Amino acid sequence: MIEFDLADEAATHALGAALAKLLRAGDFVALYGGLGAGKTTLSRGIVRTLLGPEVEVPSPTYTLVQTYETAGFTLWHFDLYRIESVDALVELGWQETAGGVALVEWPERAGGALPAWRLDVRLGEDGTGRKAGLEPHGEDWHKRLHGFAF
Ligand SMILES: Nc1ncnc2c1ncn2[C@@H]1O[C@H](COP(=O)(O)OP(=O)(O)OP(=O)(O)O)[C@@H](O)[C@H]1O
Ligand SMILES: [Mg+2]
């Protein structure tokens, strides 16, 4: 696991911006961390780096999913906190994400529907700031994260 200290919201956003540059069609990023850990902030950094700093990136707390069209792929931003069951993922377009990029808050709610090949990001509180851990699953993610810094 690669760990970083995120002193403030801007640092969480910047980690997202750096991760955005690694993303390719087919990627799955699981964003772990409790309420308020910074999952949406990190997602906002990713989306704004791909689409522009003016883009609105609302939390998908109630819609459960927001989609964005980027130059190379469709980006799906899920928040599964309020999902009723794993079966409900299908209605959200879960299967269609395979050709795009999925960012998933509360990924533990997806149970066995989580792909094995993925990047896990673990966010947690650390004083007034946050800490982040990047955990690659699969050879390709290991290679891509080699030497990662931001
Ligand atoms: N590194 C940081 N240090 C301090 N505050 C931060 C940091 N990163 C994000 N925050 C703040 O934490 C709050 C919650 O952030 P955010 O909405 O991204 O959390 P979340 O993990 O998506 O929460 P939820 O589980 O409710 O969706 C926001 O006010 C945000 O500005
Ligand atoms: Mg959130």
Side-chain angles (χ1 to χ4, degrees), residues 18 22 24 27-28 33 43 64 69 81 94 110 114 120 122 140:
L22 296 182
R24 301 181 199 139
D27 284 347
F28 190 101
S43 301
L64 304 191
E69 293 303 326
Y81 190 69
W94 191 257
L114 273 192
D120 285 348
R122 297 183 180 279
D140 185 67

Short mmCIF file of all heavy atoms in Angstrom, two decimals, residues 18 22 24 27-28 33 43 64 69 81 94 110 114 120 122 140:
data_model
loop_
_atom_site.label_atom_id
_atom_site.label_comp_id
_atom_site.label_asym_id
_atom_site.label_seq_id
_atom_site.Cartn_x
_atom_site.Cartn_y
_atom_site.Cartn_z
N ALA A 18 -4.01 13.74 -9.71
CA ALA A 18 -2.88 12.90 -10.12
C ALA A 18 -3.36 11.53 -10.58
O ALA A 18 -2.86 10.98 -11.58
CB ALA A 18 -1.89 12.78 -8.97
N LEU A 22 -3.76 8.65 -14.66
CA LEU A 22 -3.45 7.22 -14.83
C LEU A 22 -4.62 6.45 -15.44
O LEU A 22 -4.45 5.30 -15.85
CB LEU A 22 -3.15 6.58 -13.47
CG LEU A 22 -1.95 7.05 -12.67
CD1 LEU A 22 -1.87 6.22 -11.38
CD2 LEU A 22 -0.67 6.88 -13.46
N ARG A 24 -7.65 4.75 -17.52
CA ARG A 24 -7.94 4.29 -18.88
C ARG A 24 -9.28 3.57 -18.88
O ARG A 24 -9.71 3.06 -17.84
CB ARG A 24 -6.91 3.26 -19.33
CG ARG A 24 -5.51 3.73 -19.33
CD ARG A 24 -4.62 2.58 -19.83
NE ARG A 24 -3.26 2.82 -19.43
CZ ARG A 24 -2.44 1.89 -18.98
NH1 ARG A 24 -2.84 0.64 -18.89
NH2 ARG A 24 -1.22 2.19 -18.65
N ASP A 27 -11.09 0.78 -16.30
CA ASP A 27 -10.62 0.84 -14.90
C ASP A 27 -11.76 0.89 -13.90
O ASP A 27 -12.83 1.44 -14.17
CB ASP A 27 -9.75 2.09 -14.70
CG ASP A 27 -8.36 1.93 -15.29
OD1 ASP A 27 -7.99 0.80 -15.64
OD2 ASP A 27 -7.66 2.95 -15.40
N PHE A 28 -11.45 0.36 -12.73
CA PHE A 28 -12.40 0.37 -11.62
C PHE A 28 -11.64 0.86 -10.38
O PHE A 28 -10.60 0.31 -10.03
CB PHE A 28 -12.94 -1.04 -11.40
CG PHE A 28 -14.08 -1.10 -10.43
CD1 PHE A 28 -15.39 -1.20 -10.89
CD2 PHE A 28 -13.84 -1.06 -9.07
CE1 PHE A 28 -16.45 -1.24 -9.99
CE2 PHE A 28 -14.90 -1.10 -8.17
CZ PHE A 28 -16.20 -1.19 -8.63
N GLY A 33 -13.74 4.33 2.87
CA GLY A 33 -13.59 5.34 3.92
C GLY A 33 -14.95 5.70 4.48
O GLY A 33 -15.94 5.70 3.74
N SER A 43 -13.00 12.27 -5.91
CA SER A 43 -13.68 12.05 -7.20
C SER A 43 -13.79 13.36 -7.98
O SER A 43 -13.61 13.41 -9.19
CB SER A 43 -15.09 11.50 -6.97
OG SER A 43 -15.02 10.28 -6.25
N LEU A 64 -27.38 8.08 -6.59
CA LEU A 64 -26.56 6.86 -6.55
C LEU A 64 -25.49 6.81 -7.64
O LEU A 64 -24.47 6.15 -7.48
CB LEU A 64 -27.38 5.56 -6.58
CG LEU A 64 -28.45 5.39 -5.50
CD1 LEU A 64 -28.98 3.95 -5.51
CD2 LEU A 64 -27.93 5.71 -4.11
N GLU A 69 -19.04 12.37 -19.62
CA GLU A 69 -18.42 11.96 -20.88
C GLU A 69 -17.06 12.64 -20.99
O GLU A 69 -16.98 13.86 -21.08
CB GLU A 69 -19.30 12.35 -22.07
CG GLU A 69 -20.61 11.60 -22.15
CD GLU A 69 -20.46 10.08 -22.19
OE1 GLU A 69 -19.47 9.59 -22.79
OE2 GLU A 69 -21.32 9.39 -21.61
N TYR A 81 -23.95 4.09 -0.79
CA TYR A 81 -24.36 4.11 0.62
C TYR A 81 -25.83 3.74 0.79
O TYR A 81 -26.20 3.01 1.71
CB TYR A 81 -24.10 5.50 1.20
CG TYR A 81 -24.27 5.56 2.69
CD1 TYR A 81 -23.38 4.91 3.54
CD2 TYR A 81 -25.33 6.27 3.27
CE1 TYR A 81 -23.52 4.97 4.91
CE2 TYR A 81 -25.48 6.34 4.64
CZ TYR A 81 -24.59 5.69 5.46
OH TYR A 81 -24.73 5.75 6.83
N TRP A 94 -24.51 -0.81 -13.83
CA TRP A 94 -23.26 -1.43 -13.35
C TRP A 94 -22.52 -2.20 -14.43
O TRP A 94 -21.30 -2.07 -14.57
CB TRP A 94 -23.60 -2.34 -12.16
CG TRP A 94 -22.42 -2.84 -11.38
CD1 TRP A 94 -21.88 -4.09 -11.44
CD2 TRP A 94 -21.66 -2.13 -10.39
NE1 TRP A 94 -20.83 -4.20 -10.56
CE2 TRP A 94 -20.68 -3.01 -9.90
CE3 TRP A 94 -21.72 -0.82 -9.88
CZ2 TRP A 94 -19.75 -2.63 -8.92
CZ3 TRP A 94 -20.81 -0.46 -8.91
CH2 TRP A 94 -19.83 -1.35 -8.45
N ALA A 110 -21.22 -3.31 -2.76
CA ALA A 110 -21.37 -4.03 -4.03
C ALA A 110 -21.07 -5.52 -3.86
O ALA A 110 -21.28 -6.30 -4.79
CB ALA A 110 -20.46 -3.42 -5.09
N LEU A 114 -17.97 -6.57 -7.09
CA LEU A 114 -16.73 -5.79 -7.27
C LEU A 114 -15.76 -6.58 -8.14
O LEU A 114 -15.50 -7.75 -7.85
CB LEU A 114 -16.03 -5.58 -5.91
CG LEU A 114 -16.39 -4.41 -5.03
CD1 LEU A 114 -15.34 -4.30 -3.93
CD2 LEU A 114 -16.48 -3.12 -5.79
N ASP A 120 -7.79 0.08 -5.17
CA ASP A 120 -8.47 0.47 -3.93
C ASP A 120 -7.81 1.74 -3.40
O ASP A 120 -6.58 1.82 -3.32
CB ASP A 120 -8.34 -0.61 -2.85
CG ASP A 120 -9.24 -1.80 -3.12
OD1 ASP A 120 -10.12 -1.70 -4.00
OD2 ASP A 120 -9.04 -2.83 -2.46
N ARG A 122 -8.00 3.98 0.06
CA ARG A 122 -8.54 3.95 1.42
C ARG A 122 -8.30 5.30 2.07
O ARG A 122 -7.15 5.73 2.22
CB ARG A 122 -7.88 2.84 2.24
CG ARG A 122 -8.18 1.47 1.66
CD ARG A 122 -7.62 0.32 2.46
NE ARG A 122 -7.96 -0.95 1.81
CZ ARG A 122 -9.15 -1.54 1.93
NH1 ARG A 122 -10.08 -1.02 2.72
NH2 ARG A 122 -9.41 -2.66 1.26
N ASP A 140 -1.23 -4.96 -13.72
CA ASP A 140 -1.22 -3.70 -14.44
C ASP A 140 -1.29 -2.51 -13.50
O ASP A 140 -0.57 -1.53 -13.67
CB ASP A 140 -2.39 -3.67 -15.43
CG ASP A 140 -2.33 -2.42 -16.28
OD1 ASP A 140 -1.39 -2.30 -17.08
OD2 ASP A 140 -3.20 -1.54 -16.12
#
